[in-house]
Amino acid sequence: MTTQPATAPLRDDEPPVNLWRDAWARLSRNRLAVLSLAIIGLLAFVAVFGPWLTPFDFLSQNLDARNLSPNWVHLFGTDELGRDVFSRVVYGTRTAFVVAIVVTGIAATLGVILGALAGYLGGPFDRFVMWFTDTTMSVPQLLLVVVINASLKPPLVNFMEAQYEATKNGFFRNAIIIDFVLVFGSMALILWPPYARLIRAQVLSIRSRPYVTAARALGLTTPIIIARYIIPNAIGPLIVAISAGLGNAMVLESAFSFLGVGVNPPIPSWGNMISDGLQVWRNHAHLLAAPAIVLGVATIAFSFLGDGLNDALNPRGRK
Amino acid sequence: MSERLLDVRDLKIEIDTRRGRAVVVDGIDLHVDKGETLGVVGESGCGKSLTMLSLVGLLPNRIHTTGGSAHFAGTDLLRMQPAELRAVRGGRIGFVFQDPMTSLNPVMRIGDQLMESLRQHKRLDKAAARQRAGELLKLVGIPGAEQRLESFPHELSGGMRQRVMIAIGLACDPDLLIADEPTTALDVTIQAQIVELVKGLKQRLGMSVVWITHDLALIAGLADRIAVLYAGTVVEDAPAELLFRDPAHPYTRGLLASIPRLHGEDGARLSSIGGTPPEPGRRPQGCPFAPRCPLAEAMCHDIVPALAPLRGVATPHRVACHVANRVREAA
């Protein structure tokens, strides 16, 4: 063969350009996003290593030191039972992160799978999924969660009790487990629809791209095409949504704890701390301020990071 | 006569529109022999691409085949189960698409995309597929093939990407390679290289090729036989050399006359065919070309001409025209 190959300029000395490197470069120029990332990193560190960082146990009460204002021993003061508020906020961070990550993880996974299938397959399945998301999103979130929570709790408690009777395993008598399953379950059930709609919209535009037709012409199966050709190309907006969704889930968890349907005391959650603090804030403002400020900072950090990621990953918004 | 590989008979494709079904492909007859290169020529919208996509069940929503048959190595593709058809696509029939810029998955490395069909159809393990992928890139003349496996599509030029597309189409040693305007998005020098590449590969691998194009000049040196499509039907089907030397259908003549010549008369106007092809769903009653045809007679507007062998020639030269025979004999 005498063909002269059409040679592209080989730039082996330069690092190859790729979406993530590019996005990272743009993200790191955004100061607000970097600051947010740092705050989230710090909170994540605290969530993981909390027990080794706290000066006091979050449960131990010291009735001689009740309702102390912030001081050098108790950085955020103490509550009405003499528990160290700083330690409780640190443990609350753990609760917030676990809830946020697990709930967002479940919701996003569910949403991506249902949304991608709906968009790719179309037809009755698409209509059913979209009807379901519309219905779910049209009911106020808090109301829906309370309803789901209330209707799921008795059967779950009975189920766990039956498991305990059958196995005598203390695990099934753990009220915390039941709480978490309920909180995760009901929150994930109301949070997946936005992810499904986002991914569906992406899939609708991507599935008619030539490379998808090319993949079908290769005889690849539908699951492979969705997993390797469609979802990876739809992932940018999803990452943005997940980042904002983590902050959203933290607020939602706090709201539920505040209403008494979330994580129950004595497990510290920012929400139930705010709820407790609200009753005494005139006299002991720090009990309300400490968890509320941390929650506020965390939420804002997540949404600014989401914003930064949006700018970094969205090619149309490039400056 | 050599062995038939693909035999499409009376293929009909219709589109669902708000006003009912519109016929876009109306009884296409095509065949490809083993080791043959068939050029399929026609203007945009004449049904070239739809015909090829319909063979392997890749028609878009709302477009259906409503009649005919397409036998590939003895089995009718149009009556295959989806799973069987999936084994044919990419396995026994390879595809090369028009736009190399958008036909590769932008977030997947070249090597991985090459390996997809190898793993799907040949059930190769990762290492074997990878080695084969490297060989394929070498086969299509990509320098530094091994390193290129790691590249993403955007790191390659258009011509290189089309080479990669060809490599993907060839991955499983197909019996038939369908190239759908593979050079339309490339500039002229690269076009020539791609044509040479496919020519060389065809000889080496002994496969059949269907090359869809609207550029007659491009396939002049490539195709063994050329089928000219107009408004969803084959109007002329002849060995390439014969078609250029002695075109029988008025449409083919019009096409050939409209190719610009380098040494034409100064100030001569470029010849063109008056009018526009019929819209799908608004086909004339008789010959679809009759309204634009300089030779049209009364019967042309009423009766659809069948694709029939030309009288008085030894080589198979088929044409769908009422007047072609008479005009030739008179000349």
Side-chain angles (χ1 to χ4, degrees), chain B residues 125-143:
Chain B
D125 62 36
K126 236 184 174 153
R130 191 162 192 80
Q131 200 195 340
R132 173 93 176 113
E135 292 167 10
L136 282 164
L137 283 194
K138 243 177 261 158
L139 189 70
V140 296
I142 288 183

Side-chain angles (χ1 to χ4, degrees), chain B residues 134-252:
Chain B
E135 292 167 10
L136 282 164
L137 283 194
K138 243 177 261 158
L139 189 70
V140 296
I142 288 183
E146 296 294 328
Q147 294 92 294
R148 277 301 172 212
L149 291 175
E150 299 299 319
S151 299
F152 284 95
H154 68 264
E155 296 173 84
L156 302 182
S157 67
M160 295 283 265
R161 280 189 234 183
Q162 197 54 288
R163 283 167 192 267
V164 172
M165 291 295 300
I166 292 171
I168 291 175
L170 293 176
C172 295
D173 299 315
D175 300 318
L176 177 65
L177 183 72
I178 298 179
D180 187 356
E181 306 209 29
T183 58
T184 307
L186 305 173
D187 56 48
V188 183
T189 49
I190 310 291
Q191 281 186 6
Q193 290 175 5
I194 296 288
V195 169
E196 281 305 311
L197 174 69
V198 171
K199 233 167 131 179
L201 287 172
K202 197 209 109 184
Q203 269 166 13
R204 248 209 283 175
L205 306 175
M207 61 189 171
S208 306
V209 176
V210 173
W211 187 290
I212 303 174
T213 183
H214 57 246
D215 187 348
L216 266 174
L218 183 82
I219 53 162
L222 177 72
D224 300 317
R225 204 156 46 76
I226 293 177
V228 180
L229 262 61
Y230 181 79
T233 52
V234 176
V235 294
E236 185 161 5
D237 174 0
E241 190 212 351
L242 208 59
L243 187 96
F244 283 99
R245 188 156 39 88
D246 188 14
H249 197 280
Y251 177 64
T252 316

Side-chain angles (χ1 to χ4, degrees), chain A residues 257-295:
Chain A
S257 295
F258 181 81
L259 292 176
V261 290
V263 178
N264 284 324
I267 298 294
S269 124
W270 295 338
N272 62 38
M273 292 175 71
I274 291 173
S275 170
D276 293 344
L278 204 59
Q279 290 151 26
V280 294
W281 71 274
R282 277 168 216 279
N283 303 320
H284 308 291
H286 66 276
L287 293 182
L288 177 59
I293 290 173
V294 176
L295 171 64

Side-chain angles (χ1 to χ4, degrees), chain B residues 313-327:
Chain B
V313 287
T315 33
H317 184 161
R318 298 190 301 163
V319 63
C321 182
H322 293 306
V323 296
N325 271 314
R326 218 162 350 109
V327 170

Side-chain angles (χ1 to χ4, degrees), chain A residues 1-12 16-19 207 209-211 213-214 216-222 224 228-229 232-233, chain B residues 57-58 61 86 89-90 95 97 102-108 116-117 120-121 139 141 143 148 154-155 157 160 163 168 190 193 196-197 204:
Chain A
M1 202 168 35
T2 53
T3 312
Q4 275 293 320
T7 318
L10 291 166
R11 298 154 308 172
D12 288 337
V17 198
N18 80 45
L19 177 68
R207 74 165 181 188
R209 305 243 171 110
Y211 56 82
T213 311
R216 292 174 61 206
L218 283 181
L220 302 182
T221 57
T222 304
I224 287 182
R228 295 227 279 268
Y229 288 76
N233 282 295
Chain B
L58 288 180
N61 288 340
R86 206 165 53 224
R89 326 195 259 264
F95 265 92
F97 286 100
T102 53
S103 295
L104 289 166
N105 183 353
V107 299
M108 218 164 152
E116 289 277 44
S117 64
Q120 172 90 24
H121 296 293
L139 189 70
R148 277 301 172 212
H154 68 264
E155 296 173 84
S157 67
M160 295 283 265
R163 283 167 192 267
I168 291 175
I190 310 291
Q193 290 175 5
E196 281 305 311
L197 174 69
R204 248 209 283 175

